Amino acid sequence: MPRKTHSSKAGRSHRDAYHHGDLRSALIEATEALLAERGLAGFSLREVARRSGVSPAAPAHHFGDAEGLLTAVATHAFEGLTGALEAGNARGGADPVARLREQGVGYVEFALRYPGRFGLMFRTGVAGVRKDAALEQAAQAAFAVLEDGVRALLAAPRPAPLSAAQWQALLAIWSIVHGFAHLAIAGQLDRAPPPGVGPQESGLRAVLAGLLEQQLRGLQRIAPSGARRAPGARRRAATSGSR
Amino acid sequence: MPRKTHSSKAGRSHRDAYHHGDLRSALIEATEALLAERGLAGFSLREVARRSGVSPAAPAHHFGDAEGLLTAVATHAFEGLTGALEAGNARGGADPVARLREQGVGYVEFALRYPGRFGLMFRTGVAGVRKDAALEQAAQAAFAVLEDGVRALLAAPRPAPLSAAQWQALLAIWSIVHGFAHLAIAGQLDRAPPPGVGPQESGLRAVLAGLLEQQLRGLQRIAPSGARRAPGARRRAATSGSR
DNA sequence: TGTACATCAGTGAACGCGCGTTCACTGATGTAC
DNA sequence: TGTACATCAGTGAACGCGCGTTCACTGATGTAC
């Protein structure tokens, strides 16, 4: 794509009136922006085409129909989430608690940065998004990163199946980041603001990190002995959360 | 409303061709059913009128416009959630852990039983639902029940403001039930089924109760000493979660 | 290096549809006397 | 107890609109020779 970097709106130059360059990506981006602005109920194929500076018939060449586009967006979103979780792992270094905590921060930051994608990802089958092998695989890949993080925390490597208590731990951490993300997007976390922390997003991030730290220390107690590290961190975790 | 109990579909008798009886409630119910089936993107005022056996202009007499209807549904939903949380409190008896655990179970059961309402409640402002004093008050009332449950658990009665750690505990429990509900509705919890428990809803409920029990025992540790009860329950909580 | 041609990617007009809302209306109910 | 009338609650036709999708088309690109 050497020719065209400016993903313009309607006013494309005469030079490239045809052959957009990377219309497929442009349509996906426009869809994400539209979903973030108006939600799934406000999505329309024509509006996406309009924002991409393209005729209403153009998207059909790449995605078949509206469902096809939304499914591609959801798949793309899961790939992005996988990347965010892996980046969190990297940020966390060697300590499994820190790795998983940063995965959680990455999860929520992804959801807040791309609420359009996030809202779509978990709506499979209900409306608009088609069940699709590529989509399911992308979703499974993201989940696997989280599961591996919990396995490392609990010293329960693959391929052994998780025990009931281990599965419960996985579910707890997933629920907490997923719920936090939803509540933050919905603006519900301003309902009872923390004493020391303002409603800014950076404060939110610190609260989340502290919350996860405490959560993970608790979960780690169900691991076989010897799996715990950084023993001095427990007291720190109990009082962190504000700045 | 002695005359008309059967909230019928299109075929109302000639007797009550006019004056539906309780059209306002019927429209709210039809909206909830439609949202559960198709999501907000599949909602339409005409379809709701059709399902209520009424002309497309009828809803305007009660709600003004489509947004008015959706706002009323969201308000009604928050009132229902408040009721579910209070019923959980009652089920839990005197033990603050049991009370809050049952609040959480009630929260998730409400979301699973009425996914249409639940999906709408936290979408305020984004699409369709109007910001409204009655709605905000209903939302605040539901939140207050949860906050009071956490205050009881942590022996932190009103009107003292919550400390950072206490606020963190409240946020953790809210996030966990909210996230669990969303994941369950999205069908994501089948992704990694628990070893002993099937994917039936009753199994889900048991998993959630176990998860919350462990969670709340952990949170309780930040309370001032003397607030803990049922001391023998801790070991039980650690191994519950299956069946 | 030049030409013929197949293929690709997007056009734009057209279709039929369901939508939210309006409007003048009308049937049923309730109240005043 | 009966009648006039105001009010309430719903009708149904009509409007203009934006939608998804189709269709024959055409301009640009790439390949074969």
Side-chain angles (χ1 to χ4, degrees):
Chain A
M1 62 192 76
R3 186 164 45 81
K4 189 157 184 314
T5 326
H6 68 293
S7 67
S8 64
K9 303 222 144 197
R12 298 211 309 288
S13 76
H14 194 263
R15 172 69 181 81
D16 47 14
Y18 275 74
H19 298 99
H20 178 284
D22 195 5
L23 181 56
R24 191 189 149 88
S25 301
L27 291 171
I28 289 180
E29 281 175 31
T31 301
E32 289 169 344
L34 183 55
L35 289 173
E37 279 175 40
R38 306 194 199 164
L40 188 54
F43 166 82
S44 97
L45 199 55
R46 288 183 98 104
E47 176 66 17
V48 167
R50 214 173 289 130
R51 288 173 179 223
S52 304
V54 121
S55 90
H61 283 268
H62 292 273
F63 299 103
D65 58 9
E67 275 199 345
L69 171 55
L70 288 174
T71 305
V73 169
T75 305
H76 180 246
F78 270 113
E79 291 165 359
L81 178 59
T82 300
L85 296 180
E86 284 169 345
N89 266 342
R91 244 184 352 254
D95 178 16
V97 168
R99 287 169 68 84
L100 205 41
R101 184 197 66 218
E102 292 303 314
Q103 269 199 48
V105 170
Y107 193 105
V108 173
E109 283 183 341
F110 176 86
L112 287 173
R113 179 143 41 204
Y114 308 109
R117 307 185 194 185
F118 187 69
L120 192 66
M121 291 163 74
F122 297 98
R123 214 159 289 273
T124 311
V126 178
V129 179
R130 209 148 27 213
K131 272 189 174 179
D132 181 74
L135 171 61
E136 180 51 31
Q137 184 180 323
Q140 188 61 45
F143 176 75
V145 178
L146 183 62
E147 178 178 339
D148 285 342
V150 171
R151 282 179 176 273
L153 181 78
L154 303 182
R158 290 185 192 266
L162 294 176
S163 72
Q166 288 164 345
W167 188 77
Q168 185 176 294
L170 171 54
L171 208 48
I173 184 68
W174 192 12
S175 292
I176 216 165
V177 294
H178 195 75
F180 194 98
H182 268 291
L183 291 172
I185 289 173
Q188 294 292 322
L189 298 188
D190 306 340
R191 189 171 299 284
V197 186
Q200 317 88 332
E201 193 168 318
S202 62
L204 242 170
R205 197 207 124 107
V207 168
L208 173 64
L211 196 160
L212 286 172
E213 184 83 23
Q214 166 151 342
Q215 182 72 21
L216 295 172
R217 295 289 168 202
L219 292 181
Q220 203 179 26
R221 282 181 295 126
I222 73 174
S225 60
R228 300 174 207 177
R229 308 189 184 198
R234 188 171 312 183
R235 283 195 60 247
R236 234 191 299 124
T239 53
S240 76
S242 59
R243 189 96 31 248
Chain B
M1 61 189 78
R3 184 166 45 81
K4 188 153 185 314
T5 327
H6 68 293
S7 68
S8 65
K9 302 224 141 195
R12 298 212 309 286
S13 75
H14 193 262
R15 171 70 179 80
D16 45 15
Y18 274 75
H19 298 98
H20 178 285
D22 194 7
L23 181 56
R24 191 190 149 87
S25 301
L27 290 172
I28 288 179
E29 281 175 29
T31 300
E32 290 170 343
L34 184 56
L35 289 173
E37 279 175 39
R38 307 194 197 163
L40 188 54
F43 166 83
S44 97
L45 198 56
R46 288 183 98 104
E47 175 66 18
V48 167
R50 214 173 289 130
R51 288 176 179 221
S52 304
V54 119
S55 90
H61 283 268
H62 293 273
F63 300 103
D65 57 9
E67 275 199 346
L69 172 54
L70 287 174
T71 304
V73 168
T75 304
H76 180 245
F78 270 112
E79 291 164 1
L81 178 60
T82 299
L85 296 180
E86 284 169 346
N89 265 343
R91 246 185 350 259
D95 178 17
V97 168
R99 287 169 67 84
L100 203 43
R101 183 196 65 219
E102 292 303 313
Q103 269 201 47
V105 170
Y107 192 105
V108 173
E109 282 183 342
F110 175 86
L112 286 173
R113 179 144 40 206
Y114 308 109
R117 306 183 194 186
F118 187 69
L120 193 65
M121 291 161 74
F122 297 98
R123 216 160 289 274
T124 311
V126 178
V129 179
R130 208 149 25 212
K131 273 190 174 177
D132 181 73
L135 171 61
E136 180 52 30
Q137 184 181 322
Q140 188 61 44
F143 176 75
V145 178
L146 183 63
E147 178 178 339
D148 284 343
V150 171
R151 281 179 176 274
L153 181 79
L154 302 182
R158 292 182 189 269
L162 293 176
S163 72
Q166 289 164 343
W167 188 78
Q168 185 176 295
L170 171 56
L171 207 49
I173 185 67
W174 192 13
S175 292
I176 216 166
V177 294
H178 195 76
F180 194 98
H182 268 291
L183 291 172
I185 289 173
Q188 296 290 322
L189 298 187
D190 306 341
R191 190 172 297 285
V197 187
Q200 317 87 333
E201 192 167 316
S202 61
L204 242 171
R205 197 206 122 108
V207 167
L208 174 65
L211 196 159
L212 286 173
E213 184 82 24
Q214 165 151 345
Q215 182 73 22
L216 295 172
R217 294 291 167 200
L219 291 182
Q220 204 179 25
R221 283 180 297 125
I222 73 173
S225 60
R228 301 175 207 180
R229 304 187 186 201
R234 189 172 311 184
R235 282 195 60 246
R236 236 191 300 122
T239 55
S240 74
S242 59
R243 185 126 24 264

